[in-house]
Structures are given as structure tokens and as C-alpha cells.
Amino acid sequence: MPENYDHYITKNIKALYKRRLFSPIVYLIIVIVLWHVFSLTDLLFPVQLTDDVTLESAYRNDAANMHTTLTDLKFTGYTRSNFAGTSGYYYYTIRNDECIIVLLSPSTCEEGLPSIDEVKLTGKIKKSSESFHALLKNMAEDLSWTESGIQSKVSGYYISEPDYNRTINTILFTVIFGTGIYAILCLVLYILFIFFPVLSPCCQDLALFGNPKKLLEQAEEELATLPQLATEDMFITEHYFIETSIYGNAIIPIDQIIWIYKYSTLHKFFWYHFSISYTLHISANKHLYIQCPKNIKSDIDGIMDYLAEANHNILVGFNEKNRLEVQKIQGTPMNFEKFIAFLKKRI
């Protein structure tokens, strides 16, 4: 443990949020790369495919998702099936002096109309695959052509309407966009907490009991004059319980604590039990709940004994009697308070 506790709480708050910067930065880099590689904007907002652009050039220019109007489509007589049944019907048409294959959804072609005068569709341009080559082979046999002959007349790219799923694309876009905004928000907040530690959640919890800046300064001053009890990451000064761990920070006035107890967690790998860790749970007035995870039993026992001695009104140990007594003192927390407590754990 350090011998010098000058501004120790502030230093740990800054160190905590400097470590937390890593995750949102990496996630945002991944999102930016994925957005560029997979052209995610085109997934939700397909480009308009004009008549002067071939399927091949559109595909090579990352405009695979497109919206277009086609005319004079003829049914080939072939369909595409999956485990749920028929997923599409193959048509052919002439577009810009190029014969192309179009896979239409059953609803668009009314499950295989012989011909369609005009259709507006949103689809995906796909490169020829084994199934596409099999289709051309069968069509060549039907027309008494050679396979190479029909391949020379038909584009090696085709339009698939069923492969463009707006619902899935919208969900994907919403998830990526939403999580990206959350990562940016976390990044901004972490940077703010680094430069202004008094704005961090652990310091703002002190606002429940007074001016957070003044209470933080008092806690820093008491800790700097050496704590009355200290473990690796928990301290007790004259008026405060302080936690400065890699999991979070906490500052609680001792006279506001109403209940403390420890909870044990058995860590195991398959059937092998390799350690037990203990979490200190603290309930304070104004519905303030603090958890100090992954400590050793002797440290938590020492903290609990000292807190019980410093404030004789503190309820010690987890049992039904203490739980009901705390509920009587605190009342049942509102859902809004539970939500705020959940957010603080995430930040």
C-alpha cells in the first residue's frame, strides 16, 4: 500500500476512467471499419440503380444493395427453395442491352406469374454462384443451347430480391448505431471524469448528503493524514468509508451507513474449486447501495467490525430481520432509483 495518500481518491478515479477508455475506443474503431468494409449505410438506404450502370460496375463500386425498376420480365420456370419452402422465382429480362437474371420474392411475382410488365424492387446484386451456374445449365438444355453459349449472353451478376431483408438490416443498423452512440457517450463521460473527478458517479453520490466537492476534499484530507484502517483497496477514516479498486470507487459517510454484510462467491472451473472471494455490501441512507467485490474474508471482517464500532446504529450481517428493518427505514425504492443505480454500476 502507498505511504503517501495525498489526493489518493482523485488519482484513483482518474486511473479508473483512463483504463475504461480502452473499450469504447476499440469498439468505435471496429464499428468504423465494419461500416466502411460492409457499406452499412447502403444496407438501410440502397442506392438507385440507373439504366446506364451495369450490374458488374455497381457491384464493384460497393453498391450491391440497390433499388431499381425493371420491365418485361419472363419467368424461367425455376425457383429457389429453402427449409421453409419456395423462397424465390427466377425471371429474366433485358436491361441496357444485357440479359440479366432476377430472383423475385413470391409476393412480388404472385408466386410465379408467366410475365411481369413492370416491377419496382429493392434487392441485392450477387455474383454468380454454383446454384446460378446450375440454373444457366438447365436453361441452356431447355433452349437447346450450349452452356457456354448462354453464359455469353447472360450477365455473370444477378439481382436477388429475397436476399435483401429490410427488417434484419434495420435491426442491424439500429444495434450498431445505438451501441456506437453509447460508446461515444461513455468516451465523453470518461474523459470528463478524468479532468473533473468530482463529476464522477462516486463523488456525485455524496450529493445525497451535502456538497460533493467539500465532502470529497474532507475525505481526501482525512485519508492523507493516514487512515484509521486500511486494506488493499478499502479505507476507513474518521468520518468516511472509502473504496478505491479496479472495479470502482466509493465514498460513504460512516454516519449514513445503515446496513453492512458480506457475500461469498465460489469460483470454479468445471468441477475444480480454486478460490472463494467475498463482496462487501453496504446500504446507506437515501437508497445508496455500494458493492466492494473480490476481497478476502479477513479484510471484509475487519472493515465490518470497525464500521460497527464506529457507528452503533449499523445493522451487521445478512438476515431477514435486518432486511426488513432496512426496508422499514428506507422504504421500497422506486423503479427510477433502481434504474439509476444500475446505470451507475455500468459507468
Side-chain angles (χ1 to χ4, degrees):
M1 292 184 293
E3 296 181 358
N4 184 3
Y5 290 106
D6 288 338
H7 303 290
Y8 188 70
I9 301 173
T10 299
K11 291 177 182 177
N12 275 274
I13 292 173
K14 291 182 178 181
L16 173 69
Y17 289 105
K18 284 179 181 178
R19 291 192 299 269
R20 291 189 176 182
L21 284 175
F22 178 77
S23 296
I25 289 175
V26 171
Y27 182 76
L28 286 173
I29 291 174
I30 293 174
V31 167
I32 292 171
V33 171
L34 290 177
W35 201 286
H36 176 73
V37 171
F38 295 103
S39 301
L40 295 181
T41 304
D42 292 340
L43 287 177
L44 195 60
F45 306 104
V47 299
Q48 181 68 39
L49 185 65
T50 57
D51 291 338
D52 59 338
V53 178
T54 65
L55 298 187
E56 181 178 1
S57 61
Y59 183 89
R60 294 185 183 279
N61 291 326
D62 298 325
N65 299 286
M66 53 84 232
H67 183 78
T68 190
T69 300
L70 299 174
T71 58
D72 194 25
L73 288 88
K74 306 295 184 181
F75 183 39
T76 64
Y78 293 95
T79 62
R80 188 180 75 176
S81 301
N82 55 24
F83 62 91
T86 301
S87 60
Y89 292 76
Y90 286 103
Y91 284 75
Y92 68 91
T93 186
I94 304 300
R95 178 186 176 277
N96 195 25
D97 297 328
E98 180 182 43
C99 182
I100 64 170
I101 301 296
V102 184
L103 181 63
L104 296 180
S105 298
S107 58
T108 301
C109 64
E110 298 181 19
E111 299 186 355
L113 288 175
S115 62
I116 301 175
D117 293 333
E118 181 180 278
V119 63
K120 294 181 179 181
L121 62 91
T122 301
K124 190 177 185 70
I125 300 175
K126 305 197 71 176
K127 197 173 182 179
S128 59
S129 59
E130 290 185 7
S131 59
F132 183 77
H133 286 302
L135 170 68
L136 294 185
K137 181 180 179 181
N138 290 332
M139 290 178 62
E141 293 176 354
D142 293 341
L143 298 171
S144 299
W145 283 14
T146 62
E147 186 175 350
S148 59
I150 196 169
Q151 287 180 353
S152 66
K153 298 296 183 181
V154 178
S155 171
Y157 297 80
Y158 67 100
I159 299 174
S160 174
E161 185 184 22
D163 285 313
Y164 179 84
N165 192 312
R166 178 171 291 276
T167 301
I168 293 177
N169 292 339
T170 302
I171 293 173
L172 177 63
F173 186 89
T174 301
V175 169
I176 293 178
F177 185 78
T179 53
I181 293 296
Y182 177 76
I184 293 174
L185 178 61
C186 287
L187 194 61
V188 172
L189 287 176
Y190 295 164
I191 293 174
L192 187 66
F193 298 156
I194 291 170
F195 285 97
F196 305 99
V198 72
L199 298 178
S200 64
C202 74
C203 294
Q204 288 305 302
D205 284 340
L206 292 172
L208 297 170
F209 314 114
N211 186 305
K213 184 178 180 180
K214 292 182 178 179
L215 294 178
L216 174 61
E217 291 174 353
Q218 183 184 11
E220 290 273 32
E221 183 180 350
E222 291 184 6
L223 186 59
T225 58
L226 295 183
Q228 298 180 3
L229 182 65
T231 68
E232 184 178 354
D233 55 18
M234 295 183 293
F235 308 90
I236 294 178
T237 66
E238 182 180 357
H239 298 99
Y240 295 93
F241 166 82
I242 301 165
E243 180 204 10
T244 56
S245 74
I246 61 174
Y247 306 104
N249 298 282
I251 311 166
I252 309 174
I254 294 176
D255 60 359
Q256 297 293 332
I257 298 175
I258 58 178
W259 188 22
I260 54 176
Y261 64 91
K262 65 176 180 284
Y263 180 84
S264 61
T265 302
L266 178 63
H267 301 278
K268 60 182 181 178
F269 184 75
F270 292 109
W271 58 86
Y272 177 69
H273 303 167
F274 58 89
S275 68
I276 299 177
S277 67
Y278 294 84
T279 299
L280 175 63
H281 292 253
I282 300 177
S283 294
N285 289 313
K286 307 293 182 65
H287 298 295
L288 178 60
Y289 308 98
I290 300 296
Q291 296 181 14
C292 307
K294 295 190 176 180
N295 287 277
I296 61 176
K297 184 176 183 296
S298 59
D299 285 350
I300 291 184
D301 287 340
I303 292 290
M304 290 175 64
D305 290 342
Y306 201 99
L307 288 175
E309 187 64 29
N311 181 355
H312 295 290
N313 294 322
I314 294 178
L315 301 171
V316 181
F318 184 86
N319 54 59
E320 186 65 13
K321 179 181 177 182
N322 286 346
R323 190 189 70 80
L324 293 175
E325 183 64 25
V326 171
Q327 185 173 324
K328 180 179 178 182
I329 297 171
Q330 294 272 51
T332 303
M334 296 184 295
N335 290 330
F336 178 74
E337 293 173 329
K338 294 179 180 179
F339 178 68
I340 293 299
F342 173 79
L343 288 181
K344 286 181 177 179
K345 290 179 182 179
R346 299 304 175 199
I347 298 177

